[in-house]
Structures are given as C-alpha cells and as structure tokens.
Amino acid sequence: MTEGISKSPTGIDGFDELTLGGLPTGRPTLVCGSAGCGKTLFASTFLFNGARQHDEPGVFVTFEERPVDIVANVDSLGFDLQSLIDQSKIVIEHIAIDPSEVAEIGDYDLEALFLRLEFAVDQIGAKRIVLDTIESLFSAFSNPAILRAEIRRLFDWLKQKGLTAVITGERGDGSLTRQGLEEYVSDCVILLDHRVENQISTRRLRIVKYRGTAHGTNEYPFLIDEDGFSVLPVSSLGLGHQVFDERISTGVPDLDAMLTGGGFYRGSSILLTGVAGSGKSSLACMMADAACQRGERALYLSFEESEAQTVRNMRSIGTNLDKWLKNGLMRYIATRPTFYSLEMHLAIMLREVGKFQPQLVVLDPISAFTGSADISEVQAMLLRIVDFLKSNGITAVFTHLANVQQAETDAGLSSLMDGWILLLNREANGEFNRELYLLKARGISHSNQVREFVMSNDGIHLLEPYLGEGGALTGSARRNEEARARRAEVGRLAEVARVQDQISQRRRRALAQIEALRADIDADEAELKRIVKAEDLYLRQSQQDAAEMARGRGLDLPAGKTKQD
C-alpha cells in the first residue's frame, strides 16, 4: 500500500491487487458503464465484503430497484445479504424519485436526501456507502448549473462524512457518464465494459484514474458467476518466475530416459505439437496420470473432448483416469472454444487454477482458439496463462494441432516453452507410423534420436531407433527388417554350429589316430624291452653254460678265461 493513501479492500479477487489495496478510504469512487456490465454487482460485493470481512457496516442507497430485488440478485452469487441486514451491518435505503412529482426551482437542493442518508449512516455507524445509480437521482433536473452544483455538493458531503463510497453511473455519449462531471470530482473512476464481438460477449474492467497512487492501467477481464465478481490482473505479470531443480516424470519411462537425469523440471511449460491422431492428448493424459500417482493435483482443461470420452480412450492404453477423478486428485473441465471470448476463457482457466490449486495443468488443445480469434489475441492470451502458471510454480502441458512436418506453432508459443515434443505420423510402405522428436528441453541434456511412438494395452513406449539399409525404419518395415535380420542371424548361427561340429569331428578322428599311433609306439617299445631283456638273459645264460662246461672238463679257469688262453 502506498504511504499516505489509505485504502479499503473490496474483497474482489484480483481487483485489490490491481489497485494495490482497494478503493480510497473516505473518498468517492465512480463505477460507470453501460447497462448489464455489472456495476450494481461490483458495488454490492464491495459493501458485502466490507461488512463481513472487515467489520465495516454499509448503506446501500438504491434509486431504482427495490430492496427485496437487490437481496435476491446478490443471493445468486452466494451473498447472504439478508443476514447482514438482520445483524444491522447493512441497511438498504430505497429512495424512489418520480420526475413528474418534482418541481425544479432555482434554489432546489438535496438537503432532504442528505438528512435521510445521514440518518441511515448514523443508524448502524456505516463506514461504506453505495449510491445506485446517480442518473436516477438527477433524472428530474435539466439545468446543468444545478446538476453540477448538487453533484459537487454530494461528493463533498460524502468526503466530510468520511464514507468510502461507490457511486454507479450510466455510460454517456462521449463521456464516461451522462452528466460528464462525476468522473472529474471522483477520486477513483472505474470503467466496466460489456462488449460483443463475433457473437461472443466479454466483460472488461479498466481503472481510468486513481488519485494519489499507482495502479494497473490495462483492460482486465472479469467474471460474474456463482462465485461472485472477480478480476484477473494477469497482464501485469513479469518474469520473476520460481525455478525448481526437482525433476518430475512424464509418465512414460522411455521418454524420461531421453532426458538426462529423468523427466522435466517441475514448473516447466511443455508443448506437445503434432498432427491429428499422433498421440498428443494421450501423452498429455499420461503426464496428468503421473502427477496424480505422485499424490499431486492435476487440472485438465479440454476444448475438444468430454470427460467420459477421454476416460474411455485412455483405458485403451491401460491408464485409468476415472479413479483420480473420483478421489479428487484430478479435475476435468470441458468447454467449447467458441462458448466464451478469449479473455473469458483466460479468466475462467485462471480462476479454476486458483480454486483447485493444482501442481500440473493441461490445456488440450490451444490450437482450438486460433480459428475463432485473431492470432495476436491468441498469443496474448496464451502468454498470460504461461506467465501465470510459471509464476505459481505449476507445471503446464499444452497440446497444439500442427500441420505435417510443421516446425512452428500457429500461436507462436514454442519460444515460450521450456520443453517441446513433436509427434508425427510417417507414411511408409502403405501405412502410417508415429514418431516422436524431442526438439527442446531447456537446461537438460537430452537425446536427439527419433523414436517410434507406440501405444498399446500396457501404455506408451518409445522404441529405440532401428537403422536399416535405407535409413531409420518404423512399423511393418521395421518388423520385416527385424524378422529378416533374425532369420539371417539364425542361419549364421546354424552355419557356425555346422562348422564347429565338423571341426569337432575332425578333431575327434585326429585324436583317435593319435591314440592308435601312441598304442603302436607303446607296443613297439614293449617289444623292444622284451628283446633287450631276452638278449640279456641269453648272454647270462651263455656265460653260465660256458662255466659249467669248463668245470666239467676239470679246468679251473679264472672267470672270463678259456682253455686256449
């Protein structure tokens, strides 16, 4: 909050951030716009939240609608205004002015109105007040001098009472209001706009001026629905994004393996680009399923398929999303892209993110917006949501329908992405086969190989690249080449086995021959030993016989001598 400027929070989501605290305390704020743009609901929300959240009683002065109608209108937004009225925290003062019953005279003033307002303010000690609408108060008077004097007097009276006031006014021709003076005497002027382009309506808010303080000056989309009045100041975001070192799985182990360290960084923005039927939505669902398996919340925003159709389709690849939808870890929102304007889609998406607080968000597909809006507007919208998700540390997955071999997205989003995966269907040999290209992964070393992308009953698999004689092969060509290679390998192994058997047989025959020769040698050696031994015995026996003969003749000859000697 800026020093010296006291501000009163409105409690309106996003608006207090734009104004750095809320509306100027004790000063009048003009909320102007055409019929049906939400002026009364803005003022009611300001008054209701002041009484309920900040203990600041308020007075609602209506010059058109009856109190019972106002209570019923805000009840549709979830505001129990009647309970605050019963607790004397809010007073609704209905002042009906019939122009036909009012005579305009030169010295006419609003003294009676001030007395009535002062009584209502003092009755509950009001700190806030709403006047809806100022045109009804001055509808009976046409004298510009009186109008200007009384308008200034009314605004001065509100300041003197120290009331934080919201005054609603109808849009005029060439000016913000019909009288054209309120915008100059107000300390804060807020313009609400409800426009219709291409049969699609959009509500936008702009802070025209805010004395004494900084504030957002762009146009911002706002919503009015069952959750009340909310503004999304997404265009004021900068580049101060939170950075994570943690890796998270894509739900496809083969894809994680292509990223050194496994998976993308948490908080990354990942773009899945591909042709129709290439598996973009299936891969996005696998990432959401992986987040839920980690116990994290996943928000799936679909612009083409219903929840039931997506759940059924994912069962065909063995993924059950229904259990996550039932236990609250996944939320699925399906909306036609032409149902809202781009800004309204953005507002709804960011509001749902704020309510569900997911760790992963899927937008499937972002290309659905390119056919119904100008490409520059689509780029601006997508830039805002990318910045919003990154600033909140939310991992984002975007799918985008691309033309065949398209290396750029129609929405020009690829440069904003931390990761980019391209999926293509390749025609070869009369059939289409899916291929995956990991084109980009900031801060992560990754594989540059083209992988065949296969979906089966047990999930998604990325097959290792198979290089045949004609290059990388996929599908039937891959299977045929693998079968041919297997047959060639079987033949090669059979030939090796045959040669090995032949060699083994020759070796056995050679060994047998060696054994036979060795047996012959052993036999020869044995025969030689026998002959040597027999010769030795013969010689000994001859000597013995000679000695015996010598003794028989009566000769005692020395051993070794004969008679001739």
Side-chain angles (χ1 to χ4, degrees):
M1 183 178 298
T2 305
E3 185 177 357
I5 300 294
S6 178
K7 298 183 180 180
S8 299
T10 64
I12 295 175
D13 292 340
F15 181 81
D16 291 338
E17 287 78 6
L18 280 177
T19 54
L20 305 179
L23 300 179
T25 302
R27 302 183 183 186
T29 295
L30 176 65
V31 179
C32 51
S34 58
C37 65
K39 300 183 299 296
T40 301
L41 292 178
F42 181 96
S44 302
T45 305
F46 156 77
L47 204 66
F48 180 83
N49 289 333
R52 184 184 61 174
Q53 299 176 4
H54 305 287
D55 195 25
E56 294 185 0
V59 175
F60 194 107
V61 182
T62 172
F63 301 105
E64 294 180 343
E65 295 186 270
R66 298 177 303 165
V68 63
D69 294 329
I70 293 175
V71 172
N73 291 343
V74 300
D75 185 63
S76 64
L77 303 179
F79 295 165
D80 188 2
L81 194 59
Q82 187 60 50
S83 66
L84 294 178
I85 294 174
D86 297 338
Q87 299 172 36
S88 297
K89 290 187 175 182
I90 287 182
V91 169
I92 299 180
E93 191 74 19
H94 183 218
I95 301 176
I97 298 179
D98 187 351
S100 63
E101 298 176 359
V102 178
E104 182 179 354
I105 57 178
D107 60 351
Y108 179 82
D109 58 33
L110 299 178
E111 191 64 37
L113 173 65
F114 294 153
L115 291 175
R116 190 166 176 178
L117 294 181
E118 188 168 17
F119 176 78
V121 168
D122 294 340
Q123 181 181 354
I124 61 172
K127 300 294 183 183
R128 303 187 180 196
I129 189 170
V130 169
L131 275 67
D132 183 40
T133 65
I134 196 171
E135 281 77 20
S136 298
L137 176 61
F138 296 108
S139 60
F141 310 106
S142 58
N143 189 323
I146 295 178
L147 284 175
R148 290 176 177 273
E150 292 306 307
I151 288 174
R152 288 185 180 276
R153 187 179 177 206
L154 173 62
F155 279 60
D156 289 341
W157 183 87
L158 293 172
K159 287 185 178 181
Q160 290 172 4
K161 297 295 291 184
L163 294 170
T164 304
V166 170
I167 302 164
T168 66
E170 294 289 339
R171 186 77 180 268
D173 295 331
S175 61
L176 296 179
T177 57
R178 292 181 183 176
Q179 279 74 38
L181 178 66
E182 304 93 320
E183 56 195 270
Y184 297 104
V185 296
S186 300
D187 288 80
C188 179
V189 178
I190 299 168
L191 177 62
L192 303 182
D193 181 36
H194 188 194
R195 67 189 66 169
V196 178
E197 296 177 356
N198 298 324
Q199 301 180 353
I200 299 175
S201 65
T202 305
R203 286 187 170 95
R204 296 181 182 178
L205 175 147
R206 180 166 66 95
I207 302 172
V208 178
K209 79 170 185 178
Y210 199 141
R211 286 174 180 162
T213 183
H215 58 85
T217 58
N218 295 331
E219 281 191 327
Y220 304 95
F222 69 90
L223 296 178
I224 297 176
D225 55 14
E226 65 275 6
D227 295 320
F229 196 108
S230 59
V231 183
L232 294 162
V234 291
S235 60
S236 62
L237 296 172
L239 290 175
H241 304 145
Q242 187 175 2
V243 176
F244 297 87
D245 292 326
E246 178 189 359
R247 299 290 192 89
I248 59 173
S249 172
T250 62
V252 180
D254 295 332
L255 179 55
D256 292 340
M258 294 181 68
L259 298 156
T260 303
F264 288 98
Y265 288 117
R266 180 178 295 280
S268 296
S269 296
I270 304 165
L271 178 64
L272 307 180
T273 306
V275 297
S278 59
K280 303 181 300 299
S281 298
S282 298
L283 183 54
C285 285
M286 295 297 291
M287 293 184 179
D289 179 71
C292 294
Q293 290 187 25
R294 294 190 296 268
E296 301 171 2
R297 289 185 294 276
L299 177 63
Y300 201 105
L301 302 167
S302 174
F303 307 107
E304 286 186 345
E305 294 184 341
S306 66
E307 175 182 320
Q309 185 177 3
T310 298
V311 170
R312 181 204 63 188
N313 294 345
M314 289 305 294
R315 288 199 192 102
S316 66
I317 58 173
T319 301
N320 182 14
L321 298 181
D322 192 49
K323 61 180 179 181
W324 308 127
L325 292 166
K326 290 181 178 179
N327 67 15
L329 283 178
M330 177 180 285
R331 186 172 184 185
Y332 194 103
I333 299 175
T335 309
R336 284 293 182 188
T338 55
F339 193 73
Y340 300 113
S341 66
L342 287 177
E343 294 288 2
M344 288 297 290
H345 271 295
L346 175 64
I348 292 173
M349 286 187 284
L350 300 194
R351 186 196 63 187
E352 293 298 334
V353 170
K355 289 169 57 178
F356 190 56
Q357 295 294 311
Q359 283 74 42
L360 182 138
V361 173
V362 176
L363 273 71
D364 178 32
I366 57 175
S367 51
F369 297 104
T370 58
S372 59
D374 183 79
I375 189 64
S376 61
E377 294 181 359
V378 176
Q379 290 175 349
M381 186 268 279
L382 295 175
L383 174 61
R384 292 177 181 182
I385 193 168
V386 168
D387 277 344
F388 178 84
L389 296 176
K390 288 181 74 68
S391 65
N392 286 276
I394 300 173
T395 304
V397 179
F398 302 86
T399 70
H400 185 278
L401 178 64
N403 296 324
V404 178
Q405 296 182 349
Q406 185 173 358
E408 184 59 58
T409 59
D410 293 335
L413 194 62
S414 56
S415 62
L416 304 176
M417 296 292 104
D418 300 306
W420 187 8
I421 297 173
L422 176 63
L423 301 172
L424 295 179
N425 287 340
R426 293 288 190 186
E427 189 278 330
N429 300 316
E431 65 180 16
F432 278 108
N433 294 291
R434 298 181 177 91
E435 293 179 352
L436 180 143
Y437 300 73
L438 182 53
L439 300 181
K440 180 180 181 181
R442 280 179 179 160
I444 303 174
S445 176
H446 59 88
S447 172
N448 63 352
Q449 291 180 331
V450 178
R451 300 293 180 91
E452 186 174 355
F453 185 88
V454 178
M455 292 187 288
S456 61
N457 292 334
D458 58 350
I460 294 176
H461 303 281
L462 304 180
L463 304 183
E464 290 286 342
Y466 187 91
L467 297 178
E469 295 179 357
L473 301 177
T474 60
S476 297
R478 176 193 184 109
R479 290 189 291 272
N480 290 337
E481 181 63 19
E482 288 176 337
R484 187 198 65 76
R486 285 194 297 270
R487 290 192 299 270
E489 181 67 10
V490 168
R492 187 187 67 83
L493 293 176
E495 179 63 19
V496 169
R498 185 188 65 79
V499 172
Q500 288 178 337
D501 185 61
Q502 288 180 346
I503 293 173
S504 177
Q505 291 180 7
R506 288 198 299 269
R507 185 172 182 273
R508 286 195 298 270
R509 287 195 298 269
L511 289 176
Q513 292 174 356
I514 291 172
E515 289 297 324
L517 293 173
R518 183 176 292 118
D520 292 343
I521 292 173
D522 290 342
D524 290 344
E525 289 180 350
E527 181 64 19
L528 179 61
K529 288 179 181 180
R530 184 185 64 79
I531 294 173
V532 170
K533 183 178 181 180
E535 179 65 19
D536 184 66
L537 291 176
Y538 175 80
L539 292 174
R540 289 181 183 180
Q541 188 64 44
S542 296
Q543 291 178 355
Q544 290 178 2
D545 291 344
E548 286 293 329
M549 290 177 65
R551 281 194 298 270
R553 294 173 180 173
L555 296 176
D556 292 326
L557 296 175
K561 295 289 185 179
T562 61
K563 188 175 181 180
Q564 288 86 352
D565 294 336

mmCIF file of all heavy atoms in Angstrom, residues 477-493:
data_model
loop_
_atom_site.group_PDB
_atom_site.id
_atom_site.type_symbol
_atom_site.label_atom_id
_atom_site.label_comp_id
_atom_site.label_asym_id
_atom_site.label_seq_id
_atom_site.Cartn_x
_atom_site.Cartn_y
_atom_site.Cartn_z
ATOM 1 N N ALA A 477 7.809 -52.085 -41.847
ATOM 2 C CA ALA A 477 9.153 -52.144 -42.420
ATOM 3 C C ALA A 477 10.175 -52.491 -41.352
ATOM 4 O O ALA A 477 11.097 -53.279 -41.580
ATOM 5 C CB ALA A 477 9.507 -50.805 -43.072
ATOM 6 N N ARG A 478 9.994 -51.921 -40.187
ATOM 7 C CA ARG A 478 10.891 -52.228 -39.079
ATOM 8 C C ARG A 478 10.757 -53.705 -38.690
ATOM 9 O O ARG A 478 11.740 -54.415 -38.527
ATOM 10 C CB ARG A 478 10.573 -51.329 -37.889
ATOM 11 C CG ARG A 478 11.403 -51.636 -36.630
ATOM 12 C CD ARG A 478 10.824 -50.943 -35.399
ATOM 13 N NE ARG A 478 11.670 -51.178 -34.235
ATOM 14 C CZ ARG A 478 12.424 -50.261 -33.668
ATOM 15 N NH1 ARG A 478 12.447 -49.036 -34.149
ATOM 16 N NH2 ARG A 478 13.154 -50.549 -32.621
ATOM 17 N N ARG A 479 9.489 -54.170 -38.549
ATOM 18 C CA ARG A 479 9.267 -55.551 -38.147
ATOM 19 C C ARG A 479 9.781 -56.527 -39.200
ATOM 20 O O ARG A 479 10.356 -57.574 -38.869
ATOM 21 C CB ARG A 479 7.777 -55.776 -37.869
ATOM 22 C CG ARG A 479 7.291 -55.060 -36.616
ATOM 23 C CD ARG A 479 5.881 -55.472 -36.259
ATOM 24 N NE ARG A 479 4.913 -54.980 -37.226
ATOM 25 C CZ ARG A 479 4.327 -53.791 -37.165
ATOM 26 N NH1 ARG A 479 4.643 -52.965 -36.180
ATOM 27 N NH2 ARG A 479 3.439 -53.405 -38.062
ATOM 28 N N ASN A 480 9.574 -56.212 -40.497
ATOM 29 C CA ASN A 480 10.090 -57.083 -41.558
ATOM 30 C C ASN A 480 11.605 -57.136 -41.543
ATOM 31 O O ASN A 480 12.216 -58.202 -41.712
ATOM 32 C CB ASN A 480 9.598 -56.595 -42.920
ATOM 33 C CG ASN A 480 8.116 -56.816 -43.118
ATOM 34 O OD1 ASN A 480 7.525 -57.692 -42.465
ATOM 35 N ND2 ASN A 480 7.503 -56.031 -43.994
ATOM 36 N N GLU A 481 12.219 -55.967 -41.364
ATOM 37 C CA GLU A 481 13.674 -55.934 -41.332
ATOM 38 C C GLU A 481 14.202 -56.676 -40.114
ATOM 39 O O GLU A 481 15.216 -57.385 -40.194
ATOM 40 C CB GLU A 481 14.158 -54.479 -41.334
ATOM 41 C CG GLU A 481 15.666 -54.316 -41.331
ATOM 42 C CD GLU A 481 16.335 -54.877 -42.579
ATOM 43 O OE1 GLU A 481 15.631 -55.059 -43.595
ATOM 44 O OE2 GLU A 481 17.554 -55.132 -42.541
ATOM 45 N N GLU A 482 13.513 -56.520 -38.972
ATOM 46 C CA GLU A 482 13.923 -57.244 -37.769
ATOM 47 C C GLU A 482 13.768 -58.743 -37.969
ATOM 48 O O GLU A 482 14.634 -59.533 -37.550
ATOM 49 C CB GLU A 482 13.100 -56.774 -36.570
ATOM 50 C CG GLU A 482 13.456 -55.384 -36.089
ATOM 51 C CD GLU A 482 12.562 -54.919 -34.968
ATOM 52 O OE1 GLU A 482 11.429 -55.443 -34.847
ATOM 53 O OE2 GLU A 482 12.979 -54.020 -34.220
ATOM 54 N N ALA A 483 12.648 -59.176 -38.654
ATOM 55 C CA ALA A 483 12.454 -60.600 -38.925
ATOM 56 C C ALA A 483 13.523 -61.120 -39.871
ATOM 57 O O ALA A 483 14.068 -62.223 -39.681
ATOM 58 C CB ALA A 483 11.056 -60.826 -39.501
ATOM 59 N N ARG A 484 13.829 -60.340 -40.925
ATOM 60 C CA ARG A 484 14.886 -60.754 -41.847
ATOM 61 C C ARG A 484 16.222 -60.868 -41.128
ATOM 62 O O ARG A 484 16.987 -61.816 -41.347
ATOM 63 C CB ARG A 484 14.995 -59.744 -42.995
ATOM 64 C CG ARG A 484 15.944 -60.174 -44.110
ATOM 65 C CD ARG A 484 16.348 -58.993 -44.955
ATOM 66 N NE ARG A 484 17.117 -58.030 -44.193
ATOM 67 C CZ ARG A 484 18.395 -58.175 -43.858
ATOM 68 N NH1 ARG A 484 19.059 -59.282 -44.223
ATOM 69 N NH2 ARG A 484 19.016 -57.270 -43.159
ATOM 70 N N ALA A 485 16.489 -59.887 -40.257
ATOM 71 C CA ALA A 485 17.744 -59.926 -39.504
ATOM 72 C C ALA A 485 17.780 -61.135 -38.570
ATOM 73 O O ALA A 485 18.828 -61.774 -38.396
ATOM 74 C CB ALA A 485 17.913 -58.635 -38.712
ATOM 75 N N ARG A 486 16.605 -61.444 -37.977
ATOM 76 C CA ARG A 486 16.556 -62.620 -37.096
ATOM 77 C C ARG A 486 16.798 -63.904 -37.887
ATOM 78 O O ARG A 486 17.515 -64.792 -37.433
ATOM 79 C CB ARG A 486 15.212 -62.675 -36.365
ATOM 80 C CG ARG A 486 15.070 -61.672 -35.233
ATOM 81 C CD ARG A 486 13.873 -62.009 -34.357
ATOM 82 N NE ARG A 486 12.619 -61.929 -35.096
ATOM 83 C CZ ARG A 486 11.882 -60.835 -35.202
ATOM 84 N NH1 ARG A 486 12.290 -59.714 -34.615
ATOM 85 N NH2 ARG A 486 10.741 -60.828 -35.875
ATOM 86 N N ARG A 487 16.177 -64.007 -39.103
ATOM 87 C CA ARG A 487 16.396 -65.190 -39.929
ATOM 88 C C ARG A 487 17.856 -65.287 -40.344
ATOM 89 O O ARG A 487 18.447 -66.381 -40.329
ATOM 90 C CB ARG A 487 15.494 -65.146 -41.171
ATOM 91 C CG ARG A 487 14.017 -65.332 -40.879
ATOM 92 C CD ARG A 487 13.230 -65.580 -42.157
ATOM 93 N NE ARG A 487 13.326 -64.457 -43.077
ATOM 94 C CZ ARG A 487 12.486 -63.428 -43.100
ATOM 95 N NH1 ARG A 487 11.495 -63.384 -42.214
ATOM 96 N NH2 ARG A 487 12.626 -62.460 -43.985
ATOM 97 N N ALA A 488 18.456 -64.165 -40.721
ATOM 98 C CA ALA A 488 19.871 -64.174 -41.087
ATOM 99 C C ALA A 488 20.735 -64.587 -39.915
ATOM 100 O O ALA A 488 21.714 -65.334 -40.067
ATOM 101 C CB ALA A 488 20.280 -62.793 -41.602
ATOM 102 N N GLU A 489 20.352 -64.144 -38.754
ATOM 103 C CA GLU A 489 21.124 -64.497 -37.558
ATOM 104 C C GLU A 489 20.986 -65.982 -37.257
ATOM 105 O O GLU A 489 21.963 -66.649 -36.886
ATOM 106 C CB GLU A 489 20.647 -63.659 -36.375
ATOM 107 C CG GLU A 489 21.378 -63.919 -35.064
ATOM 108 C CD GLU A 489 22.818 -63.471 -35.117
ATOM 109 O OE1 GLU A 489 23.223 -62.788 -36.090
ATOM 110 O OE2 GLU A 489 23.565 -63.801 -34.175
ATOM 111 N N VAL A 490 19.737 -66.493 -37.434
ATOM 112 C CA VAL A 490 19.536 -67.927 -37.205
ATOM 113 C C VAL A 490 20.385 -68.728 -38.190
ATOM 114 O O VAL A 490 21.032 -69.726 -37.818
ATOM 115 C CB VAL A 490 18.037 -68.287 -37.344
ATOM 116 C CG1 VAL A 490 17.852 -69.798 -37.390
ATOM 117 C CG2 VAL A 490 17.247 -67.693 -36.193
ATOM 118 N N GLY A 491 20.390 -68.325 -39.491
ATOM 119 C CA GLY A 491 21.210 -69.024 -40.477
ATOM 120 C C GLY A 491 22.691 -68.943 -40.156
ATOM 121 O O GLY A 491 23.439 -69.922 -40.313
ATOM 122 N N ARG A 492 23.126 -67.755 -39.730
ATOM 123 C CA ARG A 492 24.538 -67.597 -39.379
ATOM 124 C C ARG A 492 24.926 -68.495 -38.210
ATOM 125 O O ARG A 492 25.961 -69.162 -38.230
ATOM 126 C CB ARG A 492 24.810 -66.140 -39.030
ATOM 127 C CG ARG A 492 26.284 -65.815 -38.799
ATOM 128 C CD ARG A 492 26.442 -64.401 -38.289
ATOM 129 N NE ARG A 492 25.887 -64.252 -36.960
ATOM 130 C CZ ARG A 492 26.535 -64.570 -35.847
ATOM 131 N NH1 ARG A 492 27.769 -65.083 -35.913
ATOM 132 N NH2 ARG A 492 25.966 -64.423 -34.674
ATOM 133 N N LEU A 493 24.031 -68.528 -37.206
ATOM 134 C CA LEU A 493 24.318 -69.362 -36.038
ATOM 135 C C LEU A 493 24.327 -70.844 -36.421
ATOM 136 O O LEU A 493 25.142 -71.624 -35.906
ATOM 137 C CB LEU A 493 23.284 -69.095 -34.941
ATOM 138 C CG LEU A 493 23.335 -67.702 -34.298
ATOM 139 C CD1 LEU A 493 22.206 -67.534 -33.292
ATOM 140 C CD2 LEU A 493 24.685 -67.485 -33.607
#
